[in-house]
Structure formats: C-alpha cells, structure tokens
Amino acid sequence: MAAQTNYRYETPKGVPGGKVDIAFDEVITRMNEVEDGALKFGMAVAVGSDPGSNVTLPKTGTTAGQIEGVVLAHPNTEQDRKGRVIVQKGVAVSIMRRGRVWGRITADTVPAYGEKAYVVIDGEDAGAFTSACEAASIYYPCESDVSGAKEIVADATASPTASQIKVSEVTPVSDGYEPAVGDYVVLKQLHGAAIDIGATFGNASDDGIAIICLK
C-alpha cells in the first residue's frame, strides 16, 4: 500500500521543459528543423522556415512575435551512449505557448517572482531565459596566458594596471566561483540584448532552470 510521506508545500524541483503543475496550458506540435542536439528541452524556440509547421533556434533579429513557446520534455526521447538526451532533426516536439514550465536560464540570471523573463536571441545561450534585458557579461576563472585575462588584486591596491582588477569588481561571476586575490579571470559576454515575450518568472528556481510563466 502506498503512503504519503511528504506534507511540505514548497514547489518540487523540476527538469528542463517539465510542466510545473496541471493548471490550464496551451501546447502545440511543431517539427524541429535544426541539427541533432541543438534544440533542448526548456528553451524558447522561434518560427521556422515553414511557419506553423517548423521551429528553429532564436537568432539575432528574432522578434517577440516570432517566438512560438518553450520546448516540453519528452520522457521517451532517446539518449546517446553518454546518457545525453538528443532531440533529433525532423522529429515532432511539443511547444508550450501558455502555462507554467521549467525553462533554461543563463548563468547571470537572478529569477525574481513576477519579474520579466527575457529570451536570449544570440550566442551560446540563445533560447534561454534571463533577467537582464540588456547585454550581459560574466567573469570566469582562467589561466594567466588567456587572452584578456586579468589578475585579481586586493581592493586596497592604489592603481591597478590594465591587466589587473580589484576583487570587489569581479562581478558577476560564474556559478560556484569565489574570486580570490592572485586568481586570473576573463570577462565573456553571455548574450546581447534580449527580447520581452511577456513571460515572467515563477516562485522557484533550481540549477540552470526556473519556473517560466507564459501568458
């Protein structure tokens, strides 16, 4: 006999592209026209080459009206030998247009309930959601010989050189990294300006994902 063992009220952890609850939603079916593995569950997709039939990745110039919705997770999607879920070109995918879904977010995103969730339309994070409507960059730890690397120095340093940066100025940083004097970091742009599709953040987030409310 099954028994309920959890009486807590917080939102449970989700998976990219997973539905948050059983509330009303609107889901459509489209065909993936991008190469194997490029399309991922939980990312926003745009109208493809055959509007109303195909979807593709957002790109520079994509408008809010061209975003179809968010790719829903399909539990029966085949995995490769390393256990990675690969959405293949030419397969049918479910796209949530309205409802609550766990969407992918960029590394610099700070989800806040009710705040706008913008869609990234360029760079490696194209299709992910972000809390920054403007271009966003982030510091990553690196080796000293990397192009653009800066050495972290103490805040008390009077005149940092062009290849140095004060520890308090190393922000924002990649997940899990704590800047320390003597380290080297490099600033990389995550994305350019993002677009507003009318989506907002929900009441919970997890590693690399957050609840996205599509209206």
Side-chain angles (χ1 to χ4, degrees):
M1 180 179 69
Q4 182 174 350
T5 59
N6 186 346
Y7 293 87
R8 302 169 69 178
Y9 292 96
E10 74 273 12
T11 302
K13 292 185 176 181
V15 295
K19 289 188 177 184
V20 175
D21 49 33
I22 59 173
F24 170 80
D25 58 40
E26 178 186 347
V27 178
I28 59 176
T29 300
R30 294 288 186 265
M31 188 184 76
N32 171 33
E33 69 174 28
V34 297
E35 64 271 16
D36 294 358
L39 203 69
K40 295 180 174 60
F41 299 147
M43 69 188 306
V45 288
V47 172
S49 60
D50 185 5
S53 178
N54 300 348
V55 289
T56 187
L57 300 179
K59 59 184 179 181
T60 301
T62 296
T63 64
Q66 293 173 326
I67 298 296
E68 287 273 50
V70 176
V71 183
L72 290 178
H74 285 242
N76 61 345
T77 302
E78 187 176 353
Q79 298 180 352
D80 65 10
R81 292 182 179 180
K82 294 183 178 180
R84 295 172 300 191
V85 175
I86 304 296
V87 180
Q88 297 182 338
K89 180 177 181 179
V91 302
V93 289
S94 295
I95 309 295
M96 180 182 283
R97 295 175 60 89
R98 290 180 179 83
R100 292 172 14 114
V101 62
W102 287 94
R104 294 178 182 270
I105 57 177
T106 65
D108 68 320
T109 298
V110 182
Y113 177 71
E115 295 298 316
K116 288 186 176 181
Y118 301 94
V119 174
V120 176
I121 58 173
D122 63 9
E124 295 181 358
D125 285 331
F129 290 87
T130 177
S131 55
C133 62
E134 303 297 332
S137 298
I138 196 168
Y139 281 98
Y140 291 86
C142 66
E143 299 298 326
S144 60
D145 58 352
V146 171
S147 176
K150 290 180 178 285
E151 179 187 10
I152 300 178
V153 296
D155 286 338
T157 304
S159 301
T161 67
S163 60
Q164 295 178 324
I165 184 172
K166 293 184 178 182
V167 64
S168 63
E169 296 176 353
V170 184
T171 181
V173 298
S174 60
D175 291 343
Y177 173 61
E178 292 290 339
V181 173
D183 287 355
Y184 285 84
V185 291
V186 64
L187 185 64
K188 294 182 179 180
Q189 186 180 58
L190 290 176
H191 58 79
I195 59 174
D196 180 2
I197 65 168
T200 57
F201 287 109
N203 65 336
S205 61
D206 203 352
D207 295 337
I209 57 175
I211 293 176
I212 305 296
C213 302
L214 302 170
K215 302 175 182 179

